[in-house]
Amino acid sequence: MDDIIQKLKEINLKGRGGANFPVGLKWELVKNAPGTKKYIICNGAEGEPGVLKDGYILEHYPEYVIGGIKCALDLFYNSEAYIYLNKNYFYRFADKLRKLIAKLPINVVKEKGGYLAGEETTLLESLEGDRLEPRLRPPYPTEQGLWSFPTLINNVETFYAVYLISQNKYEYKRFFTIRGEVKKRGNFELNENLTIKEVLKETANLPVKKFFVQVGGEASGEFLTMEEIDQPLKGTAAITVYDLEKTDKLKLLRQIAKFFLKEHCGKCLTCREGVYRLNEILNKRKPDLNKALVISEVLKETSFCGLGSGCGQAAYSLITKFLNAEI
Amino acid sequence: MAKVKIKINDQEFEVEEEKTILEVSRELNLDIPSLCSHPDLEVRANCRICMVEIKGQKSLTPACQTMVKDGLEIITDSERIKKARKTNLEFIRANHQKSCDTCLWKEDCQLKKLFEEYNITLSPYEKIRPNKKKKYQFGPVILDASKCIECRNCVEVCQNQGISFLEVNDYGSQISIKPSDNSYRDCTYCGQCVSHCPANALVMDTSSLKRVEKMLAAKKLIIIVQIAPSVRATLNEEFKIPYGKMTPEHIAGALKQLGFKYVFDTSTGADFTTFEEAKELIERLNQHKNLPMLTSCCPAWVKYVEFYRPELIPLLTTVRSPHIIMGGYLKTYWLKKQKINSKNIKVISIMPCLAKKYEIERPELRLKNGLKPVDEVLTVRELAILLKKKNIDLKEVAKAPLDALASGAGIIYGASGGVMESALRTAYYLMTQKEPPMVQFEAVRGIEGFKKARYQINQFNLKVAVVSGLNQAEKLIQDFKAKPNLYDYIEVMACPGGCIGGGGLPLPTNKEVRQKRASVLYQLDEKAKIRCSHNNPVLKEAYQDYFMDKKTTESVFHTHFQKKKKEGYKINKK
């Protein structure tokens, strides 16, 4: 049974939720963690705007996802699994998934809470019925996760890839969501090492006019200039293309800030106050962008979880690259 | 503990493993500013002030959360760190726009210190965040939301006490800490939230301070002050005097300089409490009735029983708490002896406790002459404010004698286990007519939350338990509810370590500080001329001259309790 971990390590599969954590290592940590019971969570919260690949996989390859979860169920003694779906996916896919699950110990559950509930430790709080906030790490979920038992949390696409690897059918591909000012929007399964530019090219989406992109989602994703797209995608595989001339960048910044104001939890000082103050500044007719930049920077630097730093990253890259502000 | 080598600001150190960066830096006297971290509490890393750089890590890391390990290289004060800290501190300043000048707590204020260090004068933002304008009051506790940094130390201590009266409300920018609307939760006024708040958002009601100042200015009044046992082990902290160097006579000197005519010792009151309580214990043991007997000198514990566990009311000893007895003694017997008109006398208690402010308002404590035994309670922190305002430095003050003698047994009341030990010394005497072997009853000492012991006195095999912290009390309640004969006598103090961990004491409080405070009291007991309450001549004289019949004793030394409805909170919108 251990050979699945071996295979995952050989292929060097990285988690597809965005953090790129080595999957083989994570599975090994859970396997070796002491605990009378173990939990497996398939994260299908996919709350990041502009990322739709998990939904695409659940629609087209649900049996593969369940196959991947089954690999983990077989590997961990006395384990039970949850498929955690956002509300939309739950209504669309829960029935189909439950049919496929049949008698396997897999529960399909509907997400409680918004964007932040996709963050893995907040997801645990959500399943335990507590306040929706991230937990302190360590202890990591692999040691003490759901109900304090060792817990494996992987993204939908990761389980999909695990299944392919277990069947020796893995072709080093991943899913890319492409949106924005392009001809062919949608989800594409392509070679995982492609650069951003290559992805756009291969999907016949490379714009003729001047453009810029946001990669990793339309909220927390980093903004890149045309000159910066000769690099592979680091986090979640999503590319949104914007027209450089037509796009109202300040409006875009305001939208992003407003999104985080709605979704942040208030746990840590930086994100609670920073996101609020960022909005306060941006809501003025002529916002002080230098001040907004100082806040974006501290959000990036000292937020408790990825939500705050994501807001900081998006705002910081947008302001410095396209709104001409300096600290 | 194993040692590891780390570098802090390019300097090499060998430090203990299994500690956080913040802990080791504090031990090395390297200053990393932090707000929400508290040794009594879990790490939550909410305030984002103790951020440091760790070599090899991309973003800044909270020092409170990160364990040291071999080879770790840490920078604590780069420009990058300072900039991040400053922005975070400005966020705090933005919601807390009042001036520091008029704030009573400015000396204790960690925020003020950091604002000055980072040169933050005014808020760089316009508005106060939503839900930040409210001011809540529950009993003697005030929560000023505009100062709150939502670190949740208070929520955790309140939860640790088993109360959960303080709650996190709402999310994101609307988030606030507020008292609970749940009808099954009410504050016991233990004040632990006040002593664990890093921002002075939770403070005590200081209206009594103003009233006492007014009294001191009035010429006609004879103002008597009494000092609780723990005051002699804590007031020194406010004046940077080492433990054991400040005596009750120093405190008496300072108080007389403030204008108090007489200075009494609550420990003398404790001697009365002990004597009455020992008698009551023996009576209950003989009748095998209302056991285990529960102490009732901690007003937060009493409120806990009255609100959360009213079925236990018959188990509480009916003996009044030491300062209430002292006040009663002064306003009945002593006043008569001194030929003082009852209209002209006021009694002020200096206490470690917030709940004592609540206790003195209980109508059932009124004396036959209609007087309240105690008129005002000042906490040790309030007394320090008053002394500093009048430029009285305890380091330089002339000693003055106290106006009544107290026994060592009355002094150790300030530490968890002290009431029990005192009562056992006297119960032993009352049962055997012999002086007790002192060492025997030391098993109930120590600042741990739960202690138990067994004693054979005559025919009784006495089973006792001592707890501090209300959560510990609740566990004990469940134990003896399941097994009714488990204990005969139980001492409960709401605060960790007993009164020396009280909510009205100087900051900071932590295990080490509580340990030091307790040992001061035990040393004073060792040195005391009289170690047992029953040998205190003040007591003997009073019982001979005045407290001769049951009626008089009952009216000054005993009380009763009743089931309480939720007292809740008030809101003052600013």
Side-chain angles (χ1 to χ4, degrees):
Chain A
M1 266 334 224
D2 271 309
D3 58 59
I4 183 70
I5 290 179
Q6 204 49 43
K7 280 185 186 171
L8 292 172
K9 283 186 164 179
E10 269 163 29
I11 282 173
N12 194 17
L13 182 70
K14 300 281 178 62
R16 295 285 163 80
N20 280 328
F21 193 82
V23 180
L25 177 61
K26 199 187 247 186
W27 284 50
E28 191 174 60
L29 287 170
V30 175
K31 177 145 201 307
N32 295 338
T36 51
K37 189 172 175 85
K38 283 171 191 176
Y39 285 102
I40 297 151
I41 294 166
C42 170
N43 187 351
E46 199 157 66
E48 179 71 35
V51 184
L52 300 161
K53 45 122 191 148
D54 290 342
Y56 182 83
I57 294 167
L58 288 167
E59 187 173 2
H60 296 97
Y61 309 101
E63 65 280 11
Y64 287 21
V65 177
I66 286 163
I69 296 170
K70 195 171 172 296
C71 288
L73 283 169
D74 292 341
L75 184 66
F76 306 139
Y77 173 75
N78 195 21
S79 56
E80 186 181 341
Y82 288 88
I83 302 178
Y84 188 82
L85 300 175
N86 71 38
K87 290 168 191 92
N88 177 9
Y89 293 173
F90 182 84
Y91 291 120
R92 283 167 62 195
F93 310 126
D95 287 345
K96 202 159 107 190
L97 285 165
R98 280 176 181 146
K99 262 179 215 150
L100 290 165
I101 287 164
K103 283 184 176 168
L104 287 170
I106 305 176
N107 313 286
V108 184
V109 292
K110 186 171 73 175
E111 177 187 59
K112 254 185 293 164
Y115 179 68
L116 187 58
E119 188 280 329
E120 62 175 21
T121 60
T122 311
L123 190 158
L124 295 173
E125 296 293 317
S126 151
L127 283 175
E128 291 183 14
D130 285 335
R131 219 184 127 78
L132 296 172
E133 290 177 346
R135 289 182 187 175
L136 202 71
R137 278 174 289 202
Y140 292 94
T142 50
E143 313 153 61
Q144 282 178 45
L146 190 60
W147 316 112
S148 292
F149 290 103
T151 303
L152 174 82
I153 309 172
N154 275 142
N155 171 260
V156 166
E157 189 186 350
T158 310
F159 281 111
Y160 165 87
V162 168
Y163 176 72
L164 291 180
I165 289 168
S166 75
Q167 301 297 308
N168 301 318
K169 286 181 187 161
Y170 185 65
E171 290 173 338
Y172 296 89
K173 286 186 173 179
R174 67 182 300 184
F175 285 89
F176 294 80
T177 303
I178 301 175
R179 309 219 316 159
E181 302 281 324
V182 290
K183 285 181 202 140
K184 271 176 71 185
R185 288 171 208 162
N187 295 289
F188 304 89
E189 196 177 14
L190 304 164
N191 187 318
E192 64 178 12
N193 293 321
L194 293 183
T195 65
I196 299 158
K197 193 173 185 177
E198 285 164 345
V199 171
L200 293 176
K201 228 181 215 169
E202 269 203 32
T203 55
N205 274 325
L206 197 64
V208 194
K209 282 199 268 180
K210 284 191 175 171
F211 69 98
F212 64 103
V213 295
Q214 190 180 13
V215 293
E218 290 168 16
S220 69
E222 187 180 5
F223 286 91
L224 299 173
T225 64
M226 269 172 81
E227 290 74 37
E228 290 174 313
I229 60 170
D230 283 317
Q231 56 171 323
L233 274 160
K234 282 180 216 132
T236 320
I239 305 167
T240 303
V241 178
Y242 299 91
D243 185 301
L244 184 64
E245 256 137 52
K246 274 203 306 196
T247 307
D248 180 345
K249 286 109 186 168
L250 185 59
K251 193 176 157 198
L252 190 57
L253 181 62
R254 282 177 172 144
Q255 273 169 8
I256 289 170
K258 200 174 161 194
F259 175 83
F260 284 101
L261 187 67
K262 198 175 126 255
E263 302 293 348
H264 70 159
C265 75
K267 176 181 163 62
C268 80
L269 177 107
T270 302
C271 178
R272 175 180 68 240
E273 307 295 338
V275 169
Y276 178 76
R277 296 299 167 192
L278 186 63
N279 277 274
E280 183 186 77
I281 289 167
L282 293 177
N283 286 341
K284 292 206 180 105
R285 200 175 298 155
K286 277 193 178 163
D288 180 346
L289 288 172
N290 293 334
K291 221 165 164 180
L293 194 58
V294 172
I295 296 173
S296 311
E297 194 183 27
V298 84
L299 278 167
K300 239 166 46 139
E301 293 265 63
T302 71
S303 291
F304 185 94
C305 79
L307 184 143
S309 54
C311 175
Q313 171 178 263
Y316 188 87
S317 57
L318 187 58
I319 297 170
T320 48
K321 292 173 193 175
F322 305 99
L323 287 159
N324 304 320
E326 277 173 28
I327 291 184
Chain B
M1 219 181 275
K3 296 258 182 169
V4 292
K5 273 188 186 156
I6 60 166
K7 263 189 192 171
I8 303 178
N9 301 333
D10 289 326
Q11 213 184 328
E12 256 190 53
F13 295 100
E14 211 176 59
V15 297
E16 281 176 359
E17 211 178 30
E18 283 170 37
K19 284 190 173 170
T20 64
I21 295 174
L22 190 62
E23 282 168 330
V24 301
S25 341
R26 277 180 182 164
E27 284 168 14
L28 294 166
N29 282 324
L30 297 168
D31 180 41
I32 298 178
S34 82
L35 290 171
C36 72
S37 160
H38 195 290
D40 285 350
L41 305 173
E42 300 271 318
V43 173
R44 282 183 313 282
N46 281 350
C47 81
R48 319 310 284 174
I49 298 299
C50 69
M51 307 304 288
V52 294
E53 273 181 62
I54 292 175
K55 203 180 169 186
Q57 285 189 17
K58 214 173 70 182
S59 51
L60 300 178
T61 309
C64 65
Q65 175 199 336
T66 314
M67 307 301 280
V68 291
K69 57 181 179 210
D70 213 39
L72 207 63
E73 289 184 35
I74 305 148
I75 302 287
T76 66
D77 61 354
S78 64
E79 285 310 308
R80 178 180 170 205
I81 295 168
K82 282 182 191 158
K83 195 167 143 195
R85 276 188 202 143
K86 182 167 182 168
T87 311
N88 281 333
L89 286 166
E90 281 172 346
F91 289 152
I92 296 176
R93 189 72 178 118
N95 296 324
H96 177 29
Q97 297 189 332
K98 270 181 293 182
S99 154
C100 295
D101 299 341
T102 54
C103 180
L104 275 181
W105 309 109
K106 57 177 174 254
E107 276 207 44
D108 280 338
C109 189
Q110 299 179 61
L111 289 182
K112 182 172 177 276
K113 209 181 112 213
L114 286 171
F115 289 157
E116 279 165 9
E117 196 182 326
Y118 283 80
N119 203 10
I120 298 163
T121 45
L122 291 167
S123 162
Y125 304 99
E126 277 173 14
K127 280 185 271 175
I128 290 180
R129 198 161 54 70
N131 291 331
K132 297 296 275 182
K133 286 188 183 164
K134 283 181 187 159
K135 208 172 180 177
Y136 304 92
Q137 175 148 15
F138 26 105
V141 186
I142 292 168
L143 166 57
D144 182 345
S146 79
K147 294 182 179 177
C148 177
I149 61 165
E150 282 87 16
C151 73
R152 308 188 196 178
N153 281 6
C154 58
V155 177
E156 190 184 331
V157 282
C158 198
Q159 201 177 346
N160 288 350
Q161 285 284 48
I163 305 299
S164 296
F165 181 63
L166 290 168
E167 293 176 339
V168 183
N169 190 46
D170 218 324
Y171 279 93
S173 312
Q174 304 285 327
I175 202 170
S176 68
I177 306 298
K178 70 179 276 301
S180 176
D181 290 317
N182 183 330
S183 53
Y184 298 101
R185 286 185 194 158
D186 203 12
C187 183
T188 64
Y189 318 122
C190 73
Q192 285 301 307
C193 53
V194 172
S195 52
H196 289 82
C197 175
N200 286 322
L202 277 149
V203 292
M204 58 194 86
D205 179 350
T206 52
S207 53
S208 43
L209 188 57
K210 283 180 207 127
R211 291 193 295 270
V212 170
E213 283 188 272
K214 231 181 216 173
M215 282 179 201
L216 286 168
K219 292 216 171 88
K220 259 190 161 179
L221 292 174
I222 296 167
I223 308 166
I224 305 171
V225 66
Q226 56 169 317
I227 54 167
S230 58
V231 182
R232 69 210 69 197
T234 52
L235 184 63
N236 54 304
E237 293 167 14
E238 290 277 358
F239 295 89
K240 311 260 183 298
I241 300 172
Y243 292 99
K245 296 281 179 216
M246 178 197 70
T247 63
E249 288 75 24
H250 285 112
I251 305 171
L255 289 167
K256 288 201 170 159
Q257 222 175 306
L258 274 177
F260 293 104
K261 185 96 190 271
Y262 298 94
V263 181
F264 278 82
D265 194 337
T266 308
S267 301
T268 313
D271 283 332
F272 284 98
T273 305
T274 292
F275 194 70
E276 289 295 317
E277 201 159 314
K279 281 197 292 186
E280 193 178 6
L281 177 66
I282 295 166
E283 202 179 295
R284 288 198 196 182
L285 286 169
N286 281 327
Q287 295 173 352
H288 206 79
K289 215 176 122 189
N290 290 335
L291 292 172
M293 186 168 91
L294 309 172
T295 60
S296 70
C297 42
C298 169
W301 158 239
V302 169
K303 167 81 198 276
Y304 183 85
V305 172
E306 288 179 323
F307 182 75
Y308 290 95
R309 289 290 194 171
E311 74 278 13
L312 302 181
I313 287 174
L315 303 185
L316 288 170
T317 160
T318 59
V319 182
R320 295 182 174 195
S321 72
H323 85 126
I324 299 291
I325 289 193
M326 196 71 225
Y329 164 93
L330 291 167
K331 288 194 179 181
T332 55
Y333 168 55
W334 185 85
L335 171 147
K336 218 170 147 191
K337 209 171 76 173
Q338 302 285 322
K339 301 195 174 72
I340 294 170
N341 186 337
S342 65
K343 275 183 198 156
N344 296 336
I345 182 173
K346 295 280 176 195
V347 174
I348 316 297
S349 301
I350 311 295
M351 292 281 133
C353 179
L354 267 66
K356 290 281 174 195
K357 286 178 184 274
Y358 166 80
E359 184 190 31
I360 59 168
E361 304 303 331
R362 286 175 170 267
E364 65 270 21
L365 293 176
R366 293 238 171 202
L367 300 163
K368 284 254 170 67
N369 51 16
L371 298 177
K372 280 159 72 182
V374 172
D375 297 282
E376 298 290 347
V377 163
L378 293 184
T379 62
V380 175
R381 282 175 83 188
E382 285 173 293
L383 174 62
I385 290 172
L386 191 57
L387 289 169
K388 286 172 188 173
K389 196 172 159 187
K390 304 281 178 195
N391 290 317
I392 299 172
D393 188 347
L394 261 165
K395 283 196 282 291
E396 287 152 18
V397 89
K399 286 187 184 184
L402 277 87
D403 289 289
L405 198 67
S407 79
I411 293 169
I412 58 172
Y413 257 64
S416 165
V419 177
M420 173 69 70
E421 191 173 340
S422 303
L424 290 177
R425 287 179 191 175
T426 292
Y428 184 95
Y429 170 78
L430 291 176
M431 285 184 196
T432 64
Q433 300 305 315
K434 280 186 279 189
E435 286 304 320
M438 287 299 165
V439 191
Q440 194 188 334
F441 302 115
E442 286 180 12
V444 290
R445 292 185 182 183
I447 56 162
E448 304 84 46
F450 176 75
K451 295 163 281 185
K452 59 179 181 179
R454 268 169 185 267
Y455 299 109
Q456 190 71 41
I457 310 176
N458 281 359
Q459 77 272 32
F460 297 111
N461 181 5
L462 209 58
K463 292 160 292 197
V464 304
V466 170
V467 291
S468 63
L470 291 170
N471 60 331
Q472 297 282 354
E474 182 54 40
K475 270 184 226 155
L476 193 68
I477 291 168
Q478 288 177 13
D479 283 354
F480 75 69
K481 281 206 157 184
K483 285 186 198 164
N485 292 323
L486 205 54
Y487 300 106
D488 301 306
Y489 185 26
I490 295 170
E491 178 199 301
V492 182
M493 295 292 158
C495 293
C499 303
I500 44 99
L505 290 176
L507 302 180
T509 177
N510 57 53
K511 215 172 167 183
E512 202 183 317
V513 168
R514 293 191 286 272
Q515 183 84 63
K516 283 180 187 157
R517 291 169 176 174
S519 57
V520 171
L521 298 183
Y522 285 115
Q523 278 162 20
L524 286 171
D525 171 39
E526 294 269 323
K527 281 188 262 170
K529 282 187 206 118
I530 301 162
R531 304 268 320 261
C532 295
S533 303
H534 55 268
N535 293 330
N536 187 343
V538 179
L539 220 81
K540 288 182 179 169
E541 189 198 308
Y543 278 106
Q544 263 165 26
D545 283 5
Y546 188 81
F547 299 99
M548 292 168 292
D549 59 299
K550 202 173 175 196
K551 221 172 132 192
T552 321
T553 344
E554 288 284 317
S555 70
V556 182
F557 295 160
H558 290 262
T559 184
H560 58 272
F561 309 97
Q562 58 268 312
K563 188 176 171 176
K564 282 238 146 63
K565 284 197 186 116
K566 174 160 173 157
E567 289 162 328
Y569 62 90
K570 288 183 298 193
I571 302 181
N572 302 321
K573 265 198 180 170
K574 277 189 264 169

mmCIF file of all heavy atoms in Angstrom, chain B residues 93 96-103:
data_model
loop_
_atom_site.group_PDB
_atom_site.id
_atom_site.type_symbol
_atom_site.label_atom_id
_atom_site.label_comp_id
_atom_site.label_asym_id
_atom_site.label_seq_id
_atom_site.Cartn_x
_atom_site.Cartn_y
_atom_site.Cartn_z
ATOM 1 N N ARG B 93 -3.932 52.946 17.002
ATOM 2 C CA ARG B 93 -4.144 54.349 17.362
ATOM 3 C C ARG B 93 -5.415 54.907 16.720
ATOM 4 O O ARG B 93 -6.118 55.733 17.298
ATOM 5 C CB ARG B 93 -2.924 55.177 16.928
ATOM 6 C CG ARG B 93 -2.941 56.611 17.444
ATOM 7 C CD ARG B 93 -2.668 56.644 18.938
ATOM 8 N NE ARG B 93 -2.637 58.002 19.469
ATOM 9 C CZ ARG B 93 -3.497 58.446 20.391
ATOM 10 N NH1 ARG B 93 -4.466 57.677 20.833
ATOM 11 N NH2 ARG B 93 -3.393 59.659 20.875
ATOM 12 N N HIS B 96 -8.372 54.401 18.773
ATOM 13 C CA HIS B 96 -8.188 54.823 20.156
ATOM 14 C C HIS B 96 -7.707 56.266 20.119
ATOM 15 O O HIS B 96 -6.540 56.543 20.273
ATOM 16 C CB HIS B 96 -7.153 53.898 20.805
ATOM 17 C CG HIS B 96 -6.798 54.254 22.213
ATOM 18 N ND1 HIS B 96 -7.670 54.874 23.061
ATOM 19 C CD2 HIS B 96 -5.664 54.068 22.907
ATOM 20 C CE1 HIS B 96 -7.070 55.057 24.223
ATOM 21 N NE2 HIS B 96 -5.854 54.593 24.164
ATOM 22 N N GLN B 97 -8.658 57.179 19.843
ATOM 23 C CA GLN B 97 -8.237 58.535 19.511
ATOM 24 C C GLN B 97 -8.207 59.478 20.697
ATOM 25 O O GLN B 97 -8.042 60.674 20.537
ATOM 26 C CB GLN B 97 -9.137 59.092 18.404
ATOM 27 C CG GLN B 97 -9.000 58.269 17.130
ATOM 28 C CD GLN B 97 -9.691 58.889 15.956
ATOM 29 O OE1 GLN B 97 -10.654 59.608 16.106
ATOM 30 N NE2 GLN B 97 -9.200 58.598 14.765
ATOM 31 N N LYS B 98 -8.390 58.922 21.912
ATOM 32 C CA LYS B 98 -8.398 59.825 23.055
ATOM 33 C C LYS B 98 -6.988 60.199 23.484
ATOM 34 O O LYS B 98 -6.028 59.505 23.187
ATOM 35 C CB LYS B 98 -9.142 59.166 24.213
ATOM 36 C CG LYS B 98 -10.613 59.507 24.175
ATOM 37 C CD LYS B 98 -11.336 58.885 25.310
ATOM 38 C CE LYS B 98 -11.356 57.374 25.175
ATOM 39 N NZ LYS B 98 -12.079 56.719 26.234
ATOM 40 N N SER B 99 -6.910 61.268 24.243
ATOM 41 C CA SER B 99 -5.610 61.713 24.720
ATOM 42 C C SER B 99 -5.169 60.874 25.909
ATOM 43 O O SER B 99 -5.975 60.444 26.723
ATOM 44 C CB SER B 99 -5.721 63.178 25.133
ATOM 45 O OG SER B 99 -4.739 63.466 26.093
ATOM 46 N N CYS B 100 -3.877 60.638 25.990
ATOM 47 C CA CYS B 100 -3.345 59.852 27.102
ATOM 48 C C CYS B 100 -3.259 60.679 28.391
ATOM 49 O O CYS B 100 -3.194 60.118 29.483
ATOM 50 C CB CYS B 100 -1.956 59.328 26.765
ATOM 51 S SG CYS B 100 -1.950 58.160 25.410
ATOM 52 N N ASP B 101 -3.239 61.991 28.247
ATOM 53 C CA ASP B 101 -2.956 62.849 29.403
ATOM 54 C C ASP B 101 -3.881 62.593 30.595
ATOM 55 O O ASP B 101 -3.441 62.563 31.735
ATOM 56 C CB ASP B 101 -3.052 64.330 29.008
ATOM 57 C CG ASP B 101 -2.033 64.670 27.936
ATOM 58 O OD1 ASP B 101 -1.062 63.885 27.801
ATOM 59 O OD2 ASP B 101 -2.209 65.680 27.236
ATOM 60 N N THR B 102 -5.168 62.427 30.304
ATOM 61 C CA THR B 102 -6.124 62.306 31.397
ATOM 62 C C THR B 102 -6.360 60.857 31.813
ATOM 63 O O THR B 102 -7.131 60.602 32.725
ATOM 64 C CB THR B 102 -7.475 62.919 30.988
ATOM 65 O OG1 THR B 102 -7.863 62.297 29.762
ATOM 66 C CG2 THR B 102 -7.374 64.418 30.802
ATOM 67 N N CYS B 103 -5.702 59.937 31.140
ATOM 68 C CA CYS B 103 -5.965 58.524 31.423
ATOM 69 C C CYS B 103 -5.291 58.102 32.728
ATOM 70 O O CYS B 103 -4.105 58.316 32.935
ATOM 71 C CB CYS B 103 -5.476 57.652 30.271
ATOM 72 S SG CYS B 103 -5.769 55.905 30.551
#
